[in-house]
Amino acid sequence: MSFDSTYTRELPLVEAKKSFKEIDEVIALPTETKPTKGWWIAFSISSTALLIGAFCLSLTFYYGIGMWGNNNPVGWAFDIINFVFWIGIGHAGTLISAILFLFRQKWRTGIARFAEAMTIFAVMTAGIFPIIHTGRPWLAGYLLPLPNQNGVWVNFSSPLLWDVFAVSTYFTISFLFWGIGLIPDLATLRDRTTSKIKKTIYSVLSLGWTNSNRNWSNYERAYLILAGISTPLVLSVHTIVSFDFAVSVLPGWHTTIFPPYFVAGAIFSGFGMVSTVLILVRKVFNMEHIITIGHLEKMNKILLATGMMVGYAYGMEFFIAWYSGNTFEQFVFINRAFGPYAWAYWTMVSCNVIFPQLFWFKKIRRSIPITMVLVILVNVGMWFERFVIIVTSLHRDFLPSSWAMYYPTLVDLGLLLGSFGFFFTFLLLFLKTLTLVSISEIKAVVEGAQPTIHPHPGGNGQHHD
Amino acid sequence: MVSIMIKKLINFVKEYDSKDDREPRSKKLFGLAALYNTPNEIITAAADVAGKGYEKFDVYTPYPMHGMDDAMGMKSSKVGYVSFALGLTGMCLALLMIWWMSSVNYQNIIGGKPFFSLPPAIPITFEGTVLLTGIATVFGMLILFNQLPKINSPLNDTDFMKRVSSDKFGVVIKADDEKFSDSEVRKLFLSGGAFEIQEIYYRETNLGIKTPIFDGKFISIIFATAILTAIITYITLNIVLYDVVPFDWMWKQAKINSQSKSDFFPNKAGMREPVNGTVARGFLPYEYKGMPDSSVKLLSNPLAVSRKVLERGQERFNIYCSPCHGYFGEGDGRMKDQFPKPPSLHNQKVLNWSDGNIYHVITNGQNVMPSYAEQVSVDDRWAIIHYIRTLQRSKNASDEDLTKAK
């Protein structure tokens, strides 16, 4: 059981029962103490960013989306870039909580809860953008097939509508997944707290969970089913996001490699974000024993793998453009790499493909400062990937007379900043109010947590191991 | 002044917060609970309890324990059936919705593609399946299978629960189990290595008739929230968002209706009339307008007789002609006594007329019968005429017709 020993090697306690208590204490600590200075600093930065975003959003609502840099021929810009960027970030959470669960990767328990929370906040952040992109967000209800005075329905063959269904399903399922994971932990918090108000809140939220094995049995089955359906779901979401582009007929978008390429990119960027935040969180909340360097190293390996998949896609796009013999297609790619947005293209390539190659070295994989720098570069690179895909394809299309450059406005930049503020404000509130590592899951993988005998009613227990 | 009040408030909240809120327990025993130290002890104890034939018992562990289901003699969980059933429902519902909305209820031509085809319906069908499976799994597991929420379970808020949600393992045998006997159960627990045995009593609210839902306080809180929500909603919708088009199912739209007034156009009418001389499709002007009967002998019916044409003619005749002429052209329409009675269409005159003459009457009108040129298109007029001929023939059928019809 090599995975189990990951924890015990760094947890200093030998006796299982004693370490359970310690796990409770370490994980529940942030929820039971006043916020530290570091938390307040982080919170004030993120809420300031959120306020700037809110201000820019009100400008947009008041004057209309003319406040943005979007203009013919670049009709999709920061709004859609940010949407794809944030929705991609979310994918790491589901990958960790569902796919790694199905593959019985026990190391995921240390980071799963946190990554799931990130998924939810990232999808929330992402959801803002397509809605404000419609120009009249207060009418966004009509994105759904709602009965109305004109008797007309939405267009079911449009990928944009598929997106509506995919993203809202994704949010609901991720939220449920995260929510049922929290129930046993909330019960533990309920039984720990001495405050009457907190106890009432935790009692209600934990639904009166009693840790009964008859309940655990159904709970575990439900968890397995959710993991089973989340796996194809997460793949479908970014596939459908890629359809927004691939189903159109624009050179540079109309390619069959988009779905797998987008999914790989989403996981890549998501892991980048998870690492970035985890490195800070484990330090601030003293959880180095639970979220270990081993975790970070494993995530770095995933980054290396998905980064190369993305690199393969970049190369393959070029190859197909040449191989297709289609002049428009060829022009778009040459324009990407050597045209006016070449700087964006090469930022993307170096951040996503070249720098992550350093993760081949074990020393670098296990070095926290270098990892930090590299994962931040991954975030930057993946944002630019969306920029490159969207803007370079649009700004020079079939008709040279309508070619133009795209320049973001201050409001665009403010909204981008605001999206980070929104995401991190929620994340910080989560860190302070709920358990950022699943207490019950961690306990289950501590050494000595599982019985070594398996008796049956009436019969004698037989040993294994 | 204000600071004193705030201080008082804080003190009040603090005092409230630190009050002991353990509910009083009744004298009725819920069950006996035993605590164990190690996973091996608990799993053996569970197997022992199940082996002794107890049925109303449960094991409490801070995390799911492998092999415990077998030790307790439990069957495997049935959550999956609910997920499967609802997942299938979700799939069918999504597919039906897409098919009905886009190819039955409102056919919208999009890129000349079929109104319904499977490939573009797959993504949404898939999402619908996953959505309902997920919701069914979670709520089925919680509500149906685990009977949650049950915040006031007798087990909650006890020392026993505080231990088993942290680092100890417990068994509870309920007092209403058929084989329950205090001394037997204690003996069984101790022989399995339990380090503590606790008696767990029902809460008073578990037994009492008083359900909190009918509690006066509870009702007034609900009432107050409802009123507050209503006021806030009213203010936000009607005052704060006054200028914003409300979400009104597209009832009000920023457009001028054809019957409404508009200051934009010189004639103040919202309706835009067609340019002079515009001819609507199917309504070509009539060349013998106002001319006497005799001039139209040359017109002949351009439509060939077919079932489709006759059915169309019947439909139009029933709509436009039957009110006066009656469904069979006998002049006994529903406008009887309110409008001059028209002659029967089976009279010798009409029988002898050419199709062109009837066409002339429909298009031009005749005495008190108005023209139907505005309502009935050229083709429909000819179809009606075929139908009138059918009516005439059926009224005066020859023997030959009858044998043919057989």
Side-chain angles (χ1 to χ4, degrees):
Chain A
M1 287 291 208
S2 59
F3 295 127
D4 292 3
S5 53
T6 318
Y7 303 108
T8 38
R9 195 168 54 228
E10 299 195 24
L11 270 175
L13 299 156
V14 197
E15 252 190 295
K17 58 181 179 184
K18 221 171 168 190
S19 68
F20 283 159
K21 258 239 141 68
E22 216 201 48
I23 288 170
D24 280 352
E25 259 148 34
V26 171
I27 299 178
L29 191 72
T31 69
E32 289 168 350
T33 48
K34 285 227 169 76
T36 55
K37 217 183 203 159
W39 187 88
W40 278 117
I41 293 173
F43 189 75
S44 48
I45 295 175
S46 75
S47 50
T48 311
L50 176 61
L51 280 178
I52 293 175
F55 176 68
C56 292
L57 204 58
S58 1
L59 282 181
T60 307
F61 285 173
Y62 193 79
Y63 294 107
I65 50 175
M67 294 302 286
W68 302 346
N70 304 27
N71 211 335
N72 267 342
V74 184
W76 281 6
F78 267 41
D79 41 2
I80 304 299
I81 298 170
N82 294 345
F83 164 66
V84 182
F85 174 72
W86 282 110
I87 205 102
I89 300 275
H91 282 50
T94 323
L95 184 99
I96 292 170
S97 61
I99 300 182
L100 295 188
F101 177 79
L102 294 182
F103 283 123
R104 299 280 183 270
Q105 296 291 306
K106 285 186 186 159
W107 61 272
R108 71 177 265 289
T109 45
I111 53 172
R113 165 70 46 71
F114 175 77
E116 284 167 26
M118 259 188 52
T119 298
I120 291 167
F121 303 139
V123 177
M124 277 161 58
T125 318
I128 296 173
F129 287 99
I131 289 178
I132 62 174
H133 163 83
T134 61
R136 281 185 286 170
W138 49 92
L139 296 178
Y142 295 121
L143 290 173
L144 295 170
L146 292 176
N148 60 69
Q149 200 57 32
N150 294 349
V152 67
W153 300 109
V154 289
N155 175 6
F156 285 101
S157 23
S158 160
L160 301 180
L161 183 74
W162 305 344
D163 238 1
V164 172
F165 278 84
V167 173
S168 45
T169 303
Y170 185 44
F171 179 75
T172 315
I173 298 295
S174 312
F175 189 77
L176 289 175
F177 206 178
W178 182 69
I180 67 163
L182 273 172
I183 291 174
D185 281 9
L186 287 165
T188 303
L189 291 182
R190 167 197 72 196
D191 291 334
R192 280 178 61 84
T193 183
T194 51
S195 143
K196 188 179 164 183
I197 296 174
K198 272 190 178 175
K199 196 175 108 184
T200 315
I201 296 173
Y202 288 138
S203 293
V204 171
L205 292 181
S206 67
L207 308 174
W209 182 258
T210 56
N211 298 299
S212 130
N213 189 61
R214 291 182 200 276
N215 286 0
W216 277 124
S217 165
N218 293 322
Y219 177 93
E220 286 219 287
R221 178 60 56 89
Y223 204 86
L224 182 68
I225 294 171
L226 276 184
I229 58 169
S230 300
T231 303
L233 177 66
V234 69
L235 300 182
S236 87
V237 173
H238 230 62
T239 299
I240 291 176
V241 170
S242 82
F243 283 165
D244 291 346
F245 304 97
V247 173
S248 77
V249 291
L250 205 68
W253 287 4
H254 190 59
T255 53
T256 46
I257 201 176
F258 261 31
Y261 161 32
F262 267 51
V263 172
I267 293 166
F268 181 60
S269 70
F271 270 88
M273 187 62 97
V274 173
S275 287
T276 314
V277 186
L278 268 187
I279 289 174
L280 295 175
V281 163
R282 65 195 281 277
K283 192 96 214 147
V284 172
F285 292 108
N286 285 329
M287 291 194 185
E288 283 108 327
H289 295 306
I290 291 174
I291 304 163
T292 60
I293 292 191
H295 285 114
L296 295 177
E297 187 188 352
K298 287 191 178 86
M299 289 199 280
N300 288 343
K301 283 182 185 165
I302 293 182
L303 276 174
L304 179 60
T306 45
M308 285 196 301
M309 286 182 210
V310 171
Y312 168 80
Y314 297 159
M316 194 44 82
E317 277 186 322
F318 258 90
F319 169 75
I320 291 292
W322 166 75
Y323 189 66
S324 69
N326 181 326
T327 29
F328 293 104
E329 200 75 31
Q330 288 165 359
F331 168 76
V332 162
F333 283 95
I334 289 173
N335 182 47
R336 266 186 197 174
F338 306 107
Y341 287 113
W343 58 273
Y345 184 82
W346 293 108
T347 311
M348 161 187 109
V349 171
S350 42
C351 290
N352 294 350
V353 189
I354 299 173
F355 294 137
Q357 298 307 318
L358 290 172
F359 284 138
W360 283 109
F361 303 103
K362 188 169 179 150
K363 269 240 171 67
I364 290 181
R365 280 203 303 272
R366 294 183 73 89
S367 146
I368 291 191
I370 301 182
T371 302
M372 187 70 186
V373 172
L374 288 178
V375 291
I376 287 178
L377 286 179
V378 166
N379 289 321
V380 174
M382 282 311 290
W383 190 87
F384 271 101
E385 180 191 301
R386 279 62 176 248
F387 180 88
V388 166
I389 291 174
I390 292 173
V391 173
T392 62
S393 290
L394 285 171
H395 89 126
R396 287 184 175 177
D397 64 358
F398 302 102
L399 203 62
S401 62
S402 59
W403 287 1
M405 288 294 284
Y406 165 76
Y407 301 103
T409 61
L410 270 181
V411 175
D412 276 322
L413 296 170
L415 283 174
L416 176 59
L417 187 68
S419 71
F420 279 91
F422 184 82
F423 175 78
F424 280 105
T425 306
F426 271 100
L427 203 66
L428 285 165
L429 288 176
F430 157 74
L431 291 176
K432 215 47 211 158
T433 46
L434 295 166
T435 52
L436 77 126
V437 176
S438 170
I439 299 179
S440 63
E441 277 187 33
I442 275 284
K443 281 181 188 164
V445 294
V446 167
E447 198 173 79
Q450 298 299 345
T452 50
I453 49 175
H454 287 288
H456 289 273
N460 289 327
Q462 77 258 95
H463 260 269
H464 75 145
D465 280 7
Chain B
M1 181 61 201
V2 178
S3 65
I4 292 175
M5 267 174 54
I6 292 176
K7 254 184 205 154
K8 264 193 178 165
L9 192 75
I10 291 175
N11 274 342
F12 173 77
V13 171
K14 266 192 185 153
E15 206 174 291
Y16 173 85
D17 197 30
S18 56
K19 242 194 270 173
D20 183 31
D21 70 331
R22 293 215 169 179
E23 246 185 84
R25 298 275 166 163
S26 68
K27 293 255 145 37
K28 189 167 177 222
L29 191 68
F30 170 76
L32 276 181
L35 285 167
Y36 299 83
N37 273 322
T38 66
N40 277 350
E41 274 171 16
I42 186 72
I43 203 162
T44 336
D48 281 351
V49 172
K52 282 263 155 34
Y54 291 100
E55 271 164 13
K56 293 190 175 161
F57 75 98
D58 210 336
V59 172
Y60 299 83
T61 49
Y63 52 87
M65 200 170 273
H66 298 170
M68 184 57 86
D69 293 4
D70 287 340
M72 287 170 66
M74 283 166 55
K75 296 214 176 72
S76 74
S77 166
K78 295 198 170 49
V79 175
Y81 294 103
V82 174
S83 316
F84 182 71
L86 271 256
L88 218 57
T89 317
M91 188 176 97
C92 298
L93 280 182
L95 209 55
L96 263 172
M97 172 184 81
I98 299 171
W99 166 78
W100 182 78
M101 286 180 179
S102 56
S103 74
V104 179
N105 186 249
Y106 193 113
Q107 296 189 333
N108 223 340
I109 300 174
I110 292 151
K113 295 187 192 94
F115 292 120
F116 177 79
S117 69
L118 198 57
I122 286 175
I124 294 179
T125 309
F126 172 78
E127 303 299 333
T129 316
V130 169
L131 184 64
L132 246 69
T133 314
I135 291 177
T137 310
V138 169
F139 290 97
M141 180 272 284
L142 291 175
I143 298 170
L144 224 61
F145 290 95
N146 288 351
Q147 264 108 45
L148 295 172
K150 201 190 257 165
I151 294 162
N152 67 345
S153 150
L155 286 165
N156 281 338
D157 220 359
T158 59
D159 286 327
F160 173 73
M161 188 48 58
K162 283 195 176 15
R163 310 296 287 273
V164 296
S165 73
S166 175
D167 58 348
K168 295 287 186 267
F169 312 94
V171 183
V172 171
I173 300 183
K174 289 189 193 159
D176 56 357
D177 190 287
E178 270 173 25
K179 300 187 76 179
F180 186 84
S181 111
D182 204 277
S183 53
E184 288 281 308
V185 169
R186 277 174 200 271
K187 233 199 285 166
L188 178 64
F189 283 162
L190 289 175
S191 71
F195 71 87
E196 198 179 315
I197 296 179
Q198 295 180 4
E199 288 141 13
I200 292 181
Y201 292 97
Y202 280 103
R203 299 164 191 245
E204 251 145 32
T205 44
N206 290 147
L207 302 170
I209 318 102
K210 208 178 112 197
T211 27
I213 293 185
F214 297 113
D215 188 53
K217 241 197 216 158
F218 182 75
I219 292 180
S220 46
I221 287 176
I222 294 272
F223 230 74
T225 347
I227 293 174
L228 206 71
T229 327
I231 294 174
I232 292 174
T233 318
Y234 180 84
I235 292 176
T236 30
L237 287 185
N238 288 300
I239 298 170
V240 181
L241 296 176
Y242 184 70
D243 265 349
V244 174
V245 186
F247 197 85
D248 60 358
W249 315 103
M250 296 191 189
W251 174 254
K252 267 199 208 125
Q253 299 180 18
K255 66 174 188 193
I256 305 166
N257 289 318
S258 48
Q259 304 297 333
S260 58
K261 194 186 154 199
S262 161
D263 290 331
F264 184 76
F265 299 112
N267 67 352
K268 305 273 180 211
M271 189 191 303
R272 295 293 78 207
E273 281 159 5
V275 189
N276 277 343
T278 308
V279 175
R281 286 181 182 223
F283 289 88
L284 273 180
Y286 184 48
E287 48 185 314
Y288 302 112
K289 195 165 179 182
M291 290 192 195
D293 260 8
S294 48
S295 54
V296 298
K297 290 252 158 56
L298 295 169
L299 282 175
S300 65
N301 201 331
L303 297 183
V305 180
S306 72
R307 194 184 183 90
K308 227 175 125 188
V309 165
L310 286 179
E311 275 170 356
R312 175 79 182 168
Q314 178 182 36
E315 192 207 359
R316 295 289 113 177
F317 181 87
N318 288 349
I319 293 172
Y320 289 109
C321 319
S322 77
C324 300
H325 287 279
Y327 284 111
F328 304 101
E330 289 171 321
D332 55 347
R334 303 185 291 287
M335 297 292 285
K336 216 169 76 185
D337 302 336
Q338 298 171 55
F339 194 79
K341 186 173 154 41
S344 162
L345 296 178
H346 304 289
N347 65 23
Q348 210 52 47
K349 182 175 145 204
V350 183
L351 280 174
N352 290 338
W353 264 359
S354 74
D355 285 358
N357 288 107
I358 304 183
Y359 185 85
H360 189 71
V361 174
I362 303 177
T363 316
N364 222 25
Q366 177 182 299
N367 301 323
V368 286
M369 175 176 158
S371 156
Y372 277 80
E374 296 271 304
Q375 292 94 323
V376 185
S377 75
V378 172
D379 279 353
D380 283 348
R381 289 173 223 162
W382 291 116
I384 288 177
I385 292 164
H386 274 315
Y387 181 63
I388 293 177
R389 293 291 185 218
T390 317
L391 287 176
Q392 288 175 340
R393 188 161 166 196
S394 65
K395 275 276 169 185
N396 305 295
S398 61
D399 291 348
E400 228 177 287
D401 285 341
L402 282 176
T403 43
K404 251 193 200 164
K406 268 176 194 165

